[in-house]
Amino acid sequence: MNKPALSRESVLDAALALADREGLPAVTVRRLAGEFGVTPMAMYWHFANKDELLAAMGQAVLFELEVQAEASFSELLRGLVTVLRKHPAAVSLVPTQMFATSQGLQVTERALALLAELGFSVGEAANIARTAMDLCVMLVVGEPGREIGMDECEREKHLAGKLAAIRGLSAEQYPHVLAAAEPLTGVGDAEEFYRSSVELFVAGVEARAFALR
Amino acid sequence: MNKPALSRESVLDAALALADREGLPAVTVRRLAGEFGVTPMAMYWHFANKDELLAAMGQAVLFELEVQAEASFSELLRGLVTVLRKHPAAVSLVPTQMFATSQGLQVTERALALLAELGFSVGEAANIARTAMDLCVMLVVGEPGREIGMDECEREKHLAGKLAAIRGLSAEQYPHVLAAAEPLTGVGDAEEFYRSSVELFVAGVEARAFALR
DNA sequence: ACCTGAACACCGTTCAAGT
DNA sequence: ACCTGAACACCGTTCAAGT
């Protein structure tokens, strides 16, 4: 439990780590101050207020993103997903910071360029690019069976409860839901889940582009 | 400002209305109690705690959903979107309540049935159905230019600021972003945005199903 | 069955003051 | 430049008590 010096960067690191450990609601001005052995008000030298802290956390997540100039659409999205998955609890802070960070602007730029090549209008391309990036966020935030802020044991109980609830359903009314109980409550292979979800979206984009001709 | 009697239902209505007016963070046990001219602790008779209140709000949103037995995949998603848009501020509470409500189970059941008909395995269908429903949530939550909890004037300023920020970007580095400044910051026609986003996803599902043969 | 009162341990934030 | 201290207006929640 070594305490690095208080600075914008060290606070941001601590905030992301805390979020990943105990969930975003655990990220509190007072709590962070406590971790640094410092008064809550010390934070207000480094951040105007908590909103600025949260915004900076969203930007910090995006900071690790590397956008290849020649990346394909699915490479772009997979790269984004990979970065987002490193800080699952902070991912919900990312969408608002997309245009506030050079990495976010770079993915957007590349995505728009690819969509223009495919023949989409500026407006269509903008909508698709936005939706694509929000999709990545959503996949990570909503990854089945990855509710954060609980330890392994607690999570298992929670998951077992959800499974049991579905198992108790009427087989006449919800046959498919019952048959899909496990894959609905927990994701089997996370890599496969992300890969195929991204591919599905890209397939839609390509099908739509083809229909434009 | 008439005060209906305090009850689970009336509290829920007030909570949804308050969320839509001022945003989800404004929904507070004490604030709601105040609206009913009652002590904060009175709430704890009707709800075990705030989490239960929020869960019930998510279910209440889903409550208005009507699932046609013969609905197509895109009809299903459009129906969901339509219901979600009625309470934009509470939409983020919906995903966890999908299997806790008969309406949520019905959309899921119908979606899984359609996906099975298209030839997807149980696991694939489950992933796609989940993603589809999360997509609907995400479209509403992330609708460009619809930041909630601010009045018309405030929203306009906020939007103008975002536009100005993009306009200040380097034209060499981000030509496509600059060209798409308006459609990226605000959605032109909301109906068109939702319709085409859903169609895009469905196109992906169909393209993928076709590839399975 | 339904609500109140007092109390507790938390929040974010301001403002003046210290070094 | 960077942090503290005291204070304010908020949170959710418990627990015993009232009607």
Side-chain angles (χ1 to χ4, degrees):
Chain A
M1 198 68 98
N2 51 346
K3 307 172 194 166
L6 194 63
S7 73
R8 216 170 191 278
E9 208 197 340
S10 63
V11 171
L12 242 25
D13 287 346
L16 285 175
L18 178 55
D20 290 333
R21 280 200 319 273
E22 304 188 26
L24 198 53
V27 176
T28 260
V29 175
R30 295 176 115 99
R31 182 86 186 265
L32 282 170
E35 289 202 359
F36 283 92
V38 102
T39 270
M41 291 64 83
M43 294 294 147
Y44 287 83
W45 179 258
H46 303 275
F47 300 90
N49 50 39
K50 192 180 180 183
D51 280 350
E52 197 185 289
L53 207 207
L54 294 174
M57 286 173 69
Q59 297 181 15
V61 171
L62 242 22
F63 193 74
E64 298 185 41
L65 185 64
E66 285 176 40
V67 181
Q68 315 289 348
E70 303 298 318
S72 70
F73 202 70
S74 58
E75 282 170 343
L76 220 53
L77 300 188
R78 281 203 307 269
L80 182 55
V81 164
T82 302
V83 164
L84 297 180
R85 288 178 70 191
K86 292 182 183 169
H87 296 293
V91 167
S92 59
L93 304 171
V94 168
T96 49
Q97 304 305 316
M98 220 61 207
F99 303 144
T101 218
S102 81
Q103 288 84 352
L105 287 166
Q106 282 170 44
V107 235
T108 311
E109 176 64 25
R110 178 69 186 149
L112 291 174
L114 286 167
L115 291 165
E117 274 178 31
L118 284 170
F120 290 101
S121 74
V122 173
E124 288 168 333
N127 282 345
I128 296 173
R130 272 198 63 108
T131 304
M133 299 186 301
D134 286 353
L135 172 81
C136 295
V137 167
M138 186 214 76
L139 291 173
V140 177
V141 169
E143 184 188 318
R146 199 202 40 74
E147 340 284 343
I148 53 172
M150 20 173 99
D151 52 37
E152 202 60 36
C153 162
E154 206 176 352
R155 196 201 320 284
E156 263 178 44
K157 260 183 201 161
H158 184 244
L159 216 117
K162 287 214 302 195
L163 241 171
I166 292 185
R167 288 265 158 72
L169 255 37
S170 142
E172 289 94 54
Q173 277 190 67
Y174 308 115
H176 293 90
V177 173
L178 263 158
E182 294 119 50
L184 280 176
T185 48
V187 72
D189 180 0
E191 307 308 321
E192 167 62 15
F193 169 74
Y194 286 108
R195 219 205 81 266
S196 71
S197 298
V198 167
E199 288 313 311
L200 192 71
F201 186 83
V202 173
V205 173
E206 282 166 355
R208 196 99 159 123
F210 187 79
L212 283 179
R213 320 255 158 125
Chain B
M1 198 68 100
N2 52 345
K3 308 172 193 170
L6 193 62
S7 73
R8 214 168 192 278
E9 209 196 339
S10 63
V11 171
L12 242 25
D13 286 348
L16 285 176
L18 178 55
D20 289 334
R21 281 200 319 274
E22 304 189 26
L24 198 53
V27 177
T28 260
V29 175
R30 296 177 114 100
R31 181 86 187 265
L32 282 171
E35 289 203 358
F36 284 91
V38 102
T39 270
M41 290 66 83
M43 294 295 147
Y44 288 83
W45 179 258
H46 303 275
F47 300 90
N49 49 39
K50 193 180 178 181
D51 279 351
E52 198 185 289
L53 206 207
L54 294 174
M57 285 173 69
Q59 296 180 17
V61 171
L62 242 20
F63 193 75
E64 296 185 42
L65 185 64
E66 283 176 42
V67 180
Q68 315 289 349
E70 304 297 319
S72 69
F73 202 69
S74 57
E75 282 170 344
L76 221 51
L77 300 188
R78 282 203 305 269
L80 182 54
V81 164
T82 302
V83 165
L84 297 181
R85 287 178 70 190
K86 292 183 184 170
H87 296 293
V91 167
S92 59
L93 304 171
V94 168
T96 51
Q97 304 305 317
M98 219 63 206
F99 304 143
T101 218
S102 81
Q103 289 84 351
L105 287 166
Q106 282 170 43
V107 236
T108 311
E109 177 64 25
R110 179 68 187 149
L112 291 174
L114 286 168
L115 292 166
E117 274 178 30
L118 285 170
F120 290 101
S121 75
V122 174
E124 288 168 333
N127 282 345
I128 295 172
R130 272 198 62 109
T131 305
M133 299 185 303
D134 286 353
L135 173 81
C136 296
V137 168
M138 186 214 74
L139 290 174
V140 178
V141 169
E143 185 188 319
R146 198 203 39 75
E147 339 284 343
I148 52 171
M150 21 172 100
D151 50 38
E152 202 61 35
C153 161
E154 207 176 351
R155 196 203 317 287
E156 263 179 44
K157 261 183 202 162
H158 184 245
L159 216 117
K162 287 215 300 194
L163 241 173
I166 291 187
R167 290 266 159 72
L169 255 37
S170 140
E172 288 94 53
Q173 277 190 68
Y174 308 115
H176 293 89
V177 173
L178 263 159
E182 293 119 50
L184 280 175
T185 49
V187 71
D189 179 0
E191 307 308 321
E192 166 63 15
F193 169 75
Y194 287 108
R195 218 205 82 267
S196 70
S197 298
V198 166
E199 289 313 312
L200 192 70
F201 187 84
V202 173
V205 172
E206 282 166 355
R208 196 99 159 126
F210 187 78
L212 282 179
R213 319 257 158 124

